[in-house]
Amino acid sequence: MKILVATGPAHPLYYPIVPLAWALRAAGHEVLVAAPESFEGPVRGSGLPMAPICGPLDMGEVMSKDRTGGRVQVPDTDEEMAEGIGRGFGRLAARTLKGMSGLVEGWRPDLIVAEAYSYAAAAAAAALHDIPWVKHVVGPGDLPVVPWVAAELQPELKELGLAELPAPDLILDNCPPMLGDPTPGAQPIRYVSYGEPGTVPEWALRPRTRPRLLITLGSVQPQIGGAPMLGNIVRSLGMLDAELVVAVADHLVGQLGPLPDSVVATGWLSLTSVLPACDVAVHHGGPGTMMACLSQGLPQVVVPGRGKPLDAIRRLADLGAVRHLPPMELSPESMLEAVGDLLDGPGYRKQAQGVADHIAQQPSPGETVSVLVDLVTKRQP
C-alpha cells in the first residue's frame, strides 16, 4: 500500500505518529510524510521521506495571527481558548490545503494517516478520491475544536464541495483507557515514545549517586513568556540534594537566569534519551511529555498550562502516579514539598509503574498495521 502520513509543523503533533509510520515501512508499505517545507529537519531525522505541501511555515505565527496578518486576541476563558485554537488549526488547514490536495491527486495514496489536527488531509481525502483516512490521536485531551476549525475553513470546504469536515474512517487512540473515556469505536494503539535521534549524553549512562529530576515546560510555553517561571522552578529545586536536567530550547537557556550548580544539563534534549536516567519529572502537562514519562514509569509533578488534559492529570493524581500542582498554587515551598513527596516514598513510583505496565498492554504499532490493511481492503471494489 501507499500511505500518506500528514502532520502540521510541530513536534508534539508528529512524534506520536512516527512509530506507526516505522511499523508500516517495516511491513513493506510505502510511506510518505506530508508537511510544510520548514519541517523537513524533524521528518528527515525520523528516517522518513517527506513531500512539502507549502513553503516555510511557523506554527506560532499561524496560531497567533489571523488571515490578514493581524494579531489575534489572547483568550481569557476556556471557551475562548477552544475557539482560538480551533480557528488557528483552521488557518493552518487553509494554508496547506492546496498543496495537500495536489499531493494526494498526484501521488494517489491508498490511505491517509493524519495526526489529530491535520484537517487539510481530511478534506483532501474526502474531496478528491474518497480515500479512507485515519485520525491518529496525539495523546490524552483531544481538544474539542472541530466546530471552530470548520467555521474558519468554510470557504475552502465550500470550494471543494464539502458541507462539513469529514469524519475519519478510523480513529487510532494512544491514550490508555485508564487515563480517559475511550472514544467510541476507536482502535487502541500503544503509545511508543519517540524523540529526535542523537547521542545519549554520557551522564545518562553512568550510575547516579543521588536522585535526578527532569524539568521542562515544553516547547511552546517558554517561548511565550514562560522562561522566567521555568528558571524559578529550577532555582527552587536547587535546594534539594539532587541533579537537575532542564529541557528547553537552546536559544532560551539564557532567559532562565542564574542556575544552581546541581544542573547537569540544559537545552534541547530528546526525552527518549534522558528519561530512563531520571527519577522524577516536573513539567507542564503536555500530552507528549506526560505520556513519555508515564511509559517510563516516572512519577511526575504536573503544573498544567492552559489547554492541557486536566481530566487525565486528575485521574493520575487520584491514582497516586502524579502530583497535580495548579499554577495558582505554585511557589518554591509547594514545589519542594511536591517533589519531596515523590522522592521520599515508593508509592508514587509504584503507581506510575502500574500505568507504564497498562500502556505496554495496548496493541503495538506493528499489530495495528493489519487493521489498516483490512480497512483499505474492505473499501476496495
Side-chain angles (χ1 to χ4, degrees):
M1 293 195 308
K2 295 170 67 175
I3 298 112
L4 187 67
V5 173
T7 184
H11 300 82
L13 301 179
Y14 177 59
Y15 282 4
I17 207 170
V18 170
L20 177 62
W22 283 351
L24 287 163
R25 285 199 69 178
H29 300 289
E30 188 176 355
V31 175
L32 180 65
V33 178
E37 182 182 277
S38 49
F39 206 59
E40 179 185 358
V43 176
R44 182 190 295 273
S46 70
L48 295 169
M50 186 191 101
I53 52 174
C54 68
L57 192 152
D58 180 77
M59 195 73 173
E61 180 184 354
V62 173
M63 300 302 288
S64 63
K65 295 183 179 180
D66 62 25
R67 293 198 186 207
T68 65
R71 189 161 292 278
V72 301
Q73 184 176 349
V74 177
D76 293 321
T77 67
D78 288 343
E79 184 177 353
E80 289 176 353
M81 184 195 65
E83 178 179 356
I85 293 175
R87 288 192 177 277
F89 278 118
R91 291 190 294 274
L92 175 64
R95 296 263 301 261
T96 58
L97 183 53
K98 182 178 180 180
M100 181 73 74
S101 299
L103 177 60
V104 171
E105 182 76 35
W107 197 58
R108 297 182 179 271
D110 300 296
L111 176 70
I112 296 176
V113 179
E115 43 83 359
Y117 305 104
S118 186
Y119 297 101
L128 294 175
H129 298 291
D130 195 28
I131 297 170
W133 79 279
V134 173
K135 172 182 171 180
H136 191 299
V137 174
V138 298
D142 203 12
L143 297 172
V145 298
V146 170
W148 303 113
V149 174
E152 182 71 31
L153 197 58
Q154 198 56 229
E156 287 78 15
L157 292 177
K158 185 177 180 180
E159 187 175 339
L160 289 174
L162 299 175
E164 59 185 2
L165 280 169
D169 295 271
L170 177 68
I171 297 175
L172 297 178
D173 193 349
N174 64 3
C175 179
M178 69 187 304
L179 296 192
D181 299 323
T183 303
Q187 165 71 29
I189 183 172
R190 184 187 309 161
Y191 178 88
V192 177
S193 183
Y194 166 78
E196 288 181 334
T199 302
V200 178
E202 184 273 335
W203 55 263
L205 299 174
R206 66 172 184 258
R208 51 193 181 276
T209 57
R210 53 180 179 161
R212 184 177 293 139
L213 280 56
L214 175 85
I215 309 166
T216 183
L217 293 182
S219 58
V220 175
Q221 196 167 329
Q223 296 193 60
I224 57 174
M229 175 182 172
L230 179 59
N232 289 336
I233 291 174
V234 175
R235 280 184 288 277
S236 68
L237 294 175
M239 299 175 64
L240 295 172
D241 182 22
E243 295 180 343
L244 308 181
V245 176
V246 186
V248 64
D250 292 335
H251 70 278
L252 295 175
V253 172
Q255 297 183 24
L256 302 182
L259 299 177
D261 293 338
S262 54
V263 172
V264 298
T266 59
W268 186 262
L269 301 167
S270 172
L271 295 186
T272 53
S273 296
V274 301
L275 282 178
C278 295
D279 299 288
V280 166
V282 177
H283 63 84
H284 61 309
T289 301
M290 188 162 64
M291 290 298 294
C293 293
L294 288 173
S295 65
Q296 288 291 330
L298 279 187
Q300 306 161 52
V301 175
V302 183
V303 186
R306 222 179 219 176
K308 302 310 178 189
L310 287 178
D311 287 345
I313 293 168
R314 289 171 180 143
R315 290 192 188 202
L316 288 165
D318 291 342
L319 183 66
V322 310
R323 276 290 302 267
H324 176 204
L325 187 57
M328 67 286 297
E329 299 177 14
L330 178 62
S331 68
E333 294 77 18
S334 63
M335 178 59 71
L336 282 169
E337 187 264 338
V339 172
D341 274 358
L342 270 58
L343 290 174
D344 291 342
Y348 283 98
R349 179 165 294 278
K350 179 179 179 181
Q351 293 300 96
Q353 185 56 54
V355 177
D357 294 340
H358 178 68
I359 291 172
Q361 292 168 7
Q362 306 308 305
S364 70
E367 294 172 293
T368 307
V369 170
S370 62
V371 176
L372 301 184
V373 172
D374 288 345
L375 173 66
V376 173
T377 301
K378 290 176 181 177
R379 287 282 296 267
Q380 291 175 343

